[in-house]
Amino acid sequence: MNDSLLRIGVSPRVCLLTLSTVRALRGCVTEKIKHEVDSGKFIWVFDFSLSVNAPDSRSQALRFWVVDVAESDGVKDLKVDDVVDQIIPPTCPSFSSEDLCLRFSVNRVTLFRLSRCWGCDRGRMKREVLAGFLKSRWLGEALEPLKNSLPPVGLTQPHGHHDVQERPVDLQNSGT
């Protein structure tokens, strides 16, 4: 096997990627990705950890917006509300657990634990609760001064949620 780029598809239903997925896509170690988060290469990262008392497990709970990973600099000028709208569209007032497991790249057990933190018992979860969670767990707020110093670049393609075509992720220029 050679070191050439392997093209893979990511379903449009998946909005957030785990650290392990980003590590596999980029072909680099966890520490490098964490450094890239700290330096502002990835702006749209969310902390899905269940406890603030477990800092060692925090990195495994990070979720990266798929568009930020695929397009790198193409999404730096967006506002948090714009990104949240891409992840959980405002046209949907609530979301099923199956849909959220796919969107957030979490398993059902983790989603159940998160939903208890959100005050949801069963059934569909309201968008406003999910939006509040995403905004409160966005790590980029600490990087906002860095984000504002970057040259503005627009989102080249909206992220579709309802068609099931695979979207190629070209990481040739990922800098690994």
Side-chain angles (χ1 to χ4, degrees), residues 58-149:
R58 180 174 162 255
S59 66
Q60 296 308 312
L62 296 179
R63 295 296 182 273
F64 296 74
W65 186 36
V66 67
V67 179
D68 194 14
V69 174
E71 297 186 25
S72 192
D73 294 331
V75 295
K76 304 297 186 210
D77 64 329
L78 295 175
K79 303 286 184 218
V80 68
D81 288 330
D82 298 329
V83 174
V84 169
D85 287 351
Q86 292 285 321
I87 297 168
I88 50 171
T91 55
C92 300
S94 63
F95 296 85
S96 69
S97 60
E98 178 183 340
D99 189 18
L100 291 174
C101 285
L102 288 170
R103 284 178 192 277
F104 294 166
S105 294
V106 296
N107 61 40
R108 287 190 181 271
V109 173
T110 301
L111 184 64
F112 173 75
R113 290 178 180 154
L114 285 168
S115 68
R116 290 179 64 196
C117 295
W118 301 332
C120 302
D121 290 331
R122 294 182 177 189
R124 297 178 66 85
M125 289 173 224
K126 293 183 178 180
R127 184 191 183 279
E128 62 265 11
V129 172
L130 299 169
F133 172 77
L134 288 171
K135 290 175 188 177
S136 71
R137 296 300 186 93
W138 176 46
L139 300 182
E141 190 162 33
L143 297 172
E144 195 68 22
L146 175 62
K147 179 182 166 227
N148 289 334
S149 69

Side-chain angles (χ1 to χ4, degrees), residues 153-173:
V153 184
L155 180 62
T156 60
Q157 232 177 21
H159 181 61
H161 294 286
H162 300 292
D163 92 28
V164 189
Q165 298 172 356
E166 288 194 345
R167 174 182 35 182
V169 177
D170 185 0
L171 300 172
Q172 198 165 22
N173 298 319

